[in-house]
Amino acid sequence: LAAAPIRMPPAAHRERDAALGTGIAGFAAVAAFPGRPLPRRALASGAERPDLFSFRERQFLKRGHFYEAVEINKTMGKIYEADEALIPPHESEAFPAITDLNLLGETVRVPLDAPHAPRCTLVTYSFRDFGFEMLDGWMVPFDAEFPSAGEATAVQQISFCEYAFLGFFRSTFVSNLRKAVPSEHAQRRLVLNFGGAHAFCEALRVPNRLTGYAALVDARGRIRWRACGSATDAEVGRMLSCAARLVEDPGNAPEVGRGGA
């Protein structure tokens, strides 16, 4: 099949790029989290950048994998730096719930819902092998710091397959993933989803599907900390510190009356 023609932004957009110090990668970073402080990388010029981009321009960012591949090549998957501290509850947003089968064939909800919701859940998710391979860098140190999963902490992982029709080959995907994730414990917490990637990316404004992501979710299902790409020592330290704060926070408890799955 012939490749789709690459449409560059209009001249007016390029002029705005020059004024704001952004390019395609900058567009993605700015559009990624409207309403929240932008990642450091997006603020490298020191300029204050409000959410200037329309829905149509955000749709432009999502066309094809060319722009995502360019950004990954430049950043090696580190689209933005991990949060320095916990996102305040009033600024946080709900993690979009996914209910699907894990690698053992059990129905699992991500994140866990009341009354089983722990105080802190590390949720990692990816859409491609490149991102999938990064996630152990977040999960392994979390497991080491909080070895007894239960009421206090949990780790969950989502592997997305973008096309729903691939669900017909679920057994093949499961077989391959079991080879990559040999332990029963890891297989139980890894959920495989077919066809839900688009809605999930829209809900969380995922800026690039080629990298891997990590989030700390509190007992009420709110995202309190985010990271992406390969974990650095400094970022792991921030993650563990933020997780400990969520575990110790007496106000962080499942919402009364919240339904279970």
Side-chain angles (χ1 to χ4, degrees), residues 116-135:
H116 309 294
R119 290 180 175 272
C120 176
T121 302
L122 171 64
V123 181
T124 63
Y125 50 97
S126 61
F127 309 87
R128 300 289 189 278
D129 288 346
F130 181 75
F132 182 87
E133 293 173 358
M134 297 175 172
L135 301 183

Side-chain angles (χ1 to χ4, degrees), residues 33-157:
F33 302 107
R36 282 193 54 207
L38 298 176
R40 283 186 173 183
R41 187 168 167 273
L43 296 174
S45 68
E48 290 291 332
R49 298 185 193 137
D51 183 20
L52 300 174
F53 304 100
S54 67
F55 175 79
R56 184 177 179 181
E57 289 169 320
R58 291 189 187 123
Q59 290 300 104
F60 169 77
L61 296 173
K62 298 174 185 177
R63 291 178 187 166
H65 301 293
F66 174 78
Y67 301 105
E68 292 177 313
V70 169
E71 188 170 34
I72 288 295
N73 188 52
K74 290 180 179 179
T75 65
M76 295 306 295
K78 187 62 70 178
I79 307 300
Y80 54 85
E81 295 293 325
D83 288 328
E84 295 279 351
L86 287 174
I87 301 168
H90 64 277
E91 294 180 13
S92 62
E93 57 187 319
F95 191 95
I98 296 285
T99 300
D100 219 314
L101 300 179
N102 63 16
L103 297 190
L104 300 180
E106 303 164 337
T107 300
V108 179
R109 185 188 190 276
V110 183
L112 295 169
D113 202 1
H116 309 294
R119 290 180 175 272
C120 176
T121 302
L122 171 64
V123 181
T124 63
Y125 50 97
S126 61
F127 309 87
R128 300 289 189 278
D129 288 346
F130 181 75
F132 182 87
E133 293 173 358
M134 297 175 172
L135 301 183
D136 274 348
W138 303 102
M139 295 187 293
V140 170
F142 190 94
D143 282 333
E145 184 74 11
F146 305 101
S148 300
E151 293 185 4
T153 63
V155 178
Q156 294 184 287
Q157 181 179 3

